[in-house]
Amino acid sequence: MKTKVIYPLIGILFLSLSSFAFHKFYMGVFQVNYAVEKKMIQITSRIFIDDLNNGMEKKYHQKTFVGTDKETQADVDLLKKYLAENFIIKINGQSKPITFLSKEVESNDVLVCYSRIKDIDKFKTIEISNTVLVDWNSEQQNITHISAFGTKKSVLFTESSRKEVLKY
């Protein structure tokens, strides 16, 4: 009698556990704020450290250790280059240079990067191109929140949607 109950329970337990396969979450979160009084666009990027190092290794064919104890100045320089090539902002159709300010590790697995664009007067359009880690992983998604002139908008960048123009 016990075996008639135990074997089906073991079978149900096995099937239920095997149906919940672990799936990694590939997401970057970017915040773009226009500070009118400072005439500046402030950018905060949150990216998983392991994904970032894997993506940079694939693109530049060298091992990097950004956000780890093994990080070197060469790793940081490569990070700056990577972000400059994969996160681009145009104001009223003109590319603007993004200045990397600093970075910090959050929760042991997320790298937070701070950047800015100075000398930005009132604008009508902002075009954002965000391909961070998209070439490394087709499942990568980058949510970007934009705040300007009292309006908040959010855009999801993926492999098939890499650029967006917002009008103000």
Side-chain angles (χ1 to χ4, degrees):
M1 171 86 174
K2 284 185 180 180
T3 56
K4 288 183 180 182
V5 174
I6 291 179
Y7 287 127
L9 284 176
I10 291 173
I12 290 170
L13 181 63
F14 176 77
L15 288 174
S16 65
L17 290 176
S18 65
S19 66
F20 293 106
F22 177 73
H23 184 263
K24 189 161 183 201
F25 189 62
Y26 298 101
M27 176 69 75
V29 179
F30 299 78
Q31 181 70 44
V32 177
N33 293 325
Y34 177 58
V36 178
E37 66 283 352
K38 296 180 181 179
K39 294 185 178 182
M40 178 188 311
I41 291 178
Q42 302 163 328
I43 304 159
T44 304
S45 310
R46 285 181 167 76
I47 309 163
F48 285 108
I49 292 170
D50 58 341
D51 296 341
L52 182 60
N53 283 310
N54 288 333
M56 291 194 318
E57 182 178 351
K58 180 179 180 186
K59 182 166 184 163
Y60 300 117
H61 308 290
Q62 66 186 64
K63 188 91 172 138
T64 59
F65 300 96
V66 171
T68 71
D69 293 339
K70 296 179 182 180
E71 178 183 276
T72 65
Q73 185 58 48
D75 293 334
V76 175
D77 292 342
L78 204 58
L79 168 67
K80 291 177 185 179
K81 178 180 177 181
Y82 183 81
L83 290 175
E85 291 174 354
N86 291 281
F87 192 86
I88 299 165
I89 292 182
K90 291 182 180 180
I91 301 296
N92 295 329
Q94 294 183 337
S95 289
K96 297 293 180 180
I98 298 174
T99 303
F100 180 91
L101 300 173
S102 66
K103 62 171 183 48
E104 64 181 328
V105 175
E106 181 180 86
S107 305
N108 287 332
D109 61 350
V110 174
L111 188 72
V112 182
C113 300
Y114 303 98
S115 304
R116 72 175 176 210
I117 303 172
K118 291 175 61 174
D119 302 321
I120 302 295
D121 288 317
K122 189 169 177 151
F123 55 88
K124 294 185 179 182
T125 64
I126 181 170
E127 178 180 316
I128 300 174
S129 174
N130 187 342
T131 59
V132 173
L133 299 179
V134 172
D135 291 331
W136 169 70
N137 183 349
S138 62
E139 294 180 38
Q140 177 71 26
Q141 297 180 340
N142 294 319
I143 184 95
T144 304
H145 305 290
I146 303 101
S147 296
F149 310 112
T151 305
K152 294 180 181 180
K153 299 178 181 182
S154 295
V155 179
L156 181 65
F157 294 96
T158 63
E159 183 179 39
S160 61
S161 174
R162 298 171 175 228
K163 187 186 308 184
E164 186 76 26
V165 178
L166 302 166
K167 295 179 182 180
Y168 288 93

